[in-house]
Amino acid sequence: MKQKPISTITSYEQLKIISDPLRIKILSYLIEKPHTGHQLAENLNLSRAKILYHLRELEKYEFIKLVKKIERGGNILKYYQAIAKGFIPDDSLLVFSESEEATRQSYLEVLDRAKSRVITAPSSSFSPESADVEKWNSLSLQQEVSVSKEKFLEFANKYRELINELSCNNETKDKDDKDKYYIMTTAFKIDEFLFSNSEEDK
């Protein structure tokens, strides 16, 4: 199944479904690739019955689809996948507190999945070959800045364009000489700076 880049949440019922932290966690796995209920139960250390309940709810409200069935040992394995790589609420739903909670939980889940990717990445990912950070085959940055909303939005759009450009390069031929990279980004407004060398302290 070809996933849509973004799917819009259009009803309050959908919003309530997606604001549950466990469902967001399940959905994060299904955004990556298809899973069975058994695989999700093992990954999340939960009962299969509990996972199947949430899968039914996510399927009912059109967040996921059954993408294939495989018969194995007399059992039918059902693989589910998210219909999109991301979900955002419609403007009409932004007044509800569930919208904020769903968005916050999705950020937390992205960070949690990123941590697992770091843990399982090959050791070569974190073996610098030079003291020059610009030659490192990895990237880890934290920065606090003070800018206008308009300036931030301008930056965010440029950044998305840059990521899309890199992603389009991934679709070209001659993939044998290419490495695989994981890129995760979060940015959001904060109340105060934590780093003493942030812009307002200069």
Side-chain angles (χ1 to χ4, degrees), residues 8-201:
T8 302
I9 300 168
T10 57
S11 71
Y12 179 63
E13 289 72 20
Q14 280 185 309
L15 187 60
K16 286 196 297 184
I17 288 294
I18 200 63
S19 63
D20 179 86
L22 178 55
R23 290 183 186 137
I24 290 177
K25 187 175 286 290
I26 291 171
L27 198 57
S28 72
Y29 279 89
L30 300 181
I31 285 172
E32 293 174 0
K33 62 182 180 181
H35 286 75
T36 66
H38 179 72
Q39 288 172 329
L40 290 168
E42 286 191 336
N43 288 333
L44 298 173
N45 196 28
L46 294 170
S47 71
R48 190 165 174 266
K50 186 170 187 176
I51 292 295
L52 290 177
Y53 167 76
H54 289 294
L55 286 176
R56 283 194 293 269
E57 291 294 290
L58 289 169
E59 185 180 26
K60 176 181 177 182
Y61 288 95
E62 301 179 340
F63 287 104
I64 65 174
K65 280 188 176 182
L66 178 65
V67 292
K68 66 178 176 179
K69 295 181 181 180
I70 297 177
E71 185 176 354
R72 184 177 299 164
N75 295 318
I76 302 295
L77 304 180
K78 296 181 178 180
Y79 286 81
Y80 294 89
Q81 187 173 23
I83 65 164
K85 294 181 179 179
F87 298 87
I88 57 173
D90 184 77
D91 287 350
S92 63
L93 300 174
L94 298 181
V95 296
F96 297 106
S97 61
E98 288 89 347
S99 178
E100 176 188 335
E101 184 59 25
T103 304
R104 187 186 298 271
Q105 287 298 327
S106 69
Y107 274 57
L108 289 170
E109 187 54 36
V110 166
L111 293 169
D112 191 46
R113 295 297 289 145
K115 180 180 177 180
S116 71
R117 299 298 294 271
V118 171
I119 292 171
T120 59
S123 58
S124 59
S125 298
F126 310 105
S127 301
E129 299 177 357
S130 168
D132 183 356
V133 67
E134 292 186 1
K135 295 181 180 179
W136 285 16
N137 200 28
S138 61
L139 180 66
S140 179
L141 296 172
Q142 291 186 78
Q143 184 70 46
E144 295 175 331
V145 296
S146 180
V147 296
S148 67
K149 180 179 179 180
E150 291 75 17
K151 195 69 177 176
F152 175 80
L153 293 176
E154 179 185 339
F155 161 79
N157 287 327
K158 287 181 180 178
Y159 184 79
R160 289 189 187 97
E161 290 174 4
L162 189 61
I163 293 294
N164 287 334
E165 179 184 330
L166 197 62
S167 180
C168 289
N169 182 60
N170 185 53
E171 297 174 359
T172 59
K173 297 179 179 178
D174 302 325
K175 294 185 179 181
D176 292 342
D177 63 340
K178 295 180 181 177
D179 294 321
K180 298 178 178 68
Y181 292 88
Y182 171 72
I183 301 173
M184 186 280 295
T185 305
T186 59
F188 42 87
K189 188 168 67 172
I190 55 177
D191 289 328
E192 60 183 36
F193 286 143
L194 295 180
F195 297 124
S196 61
N197 61 345
S198 293
E199 288 193 356
E200 288 189 351
D201 297 323

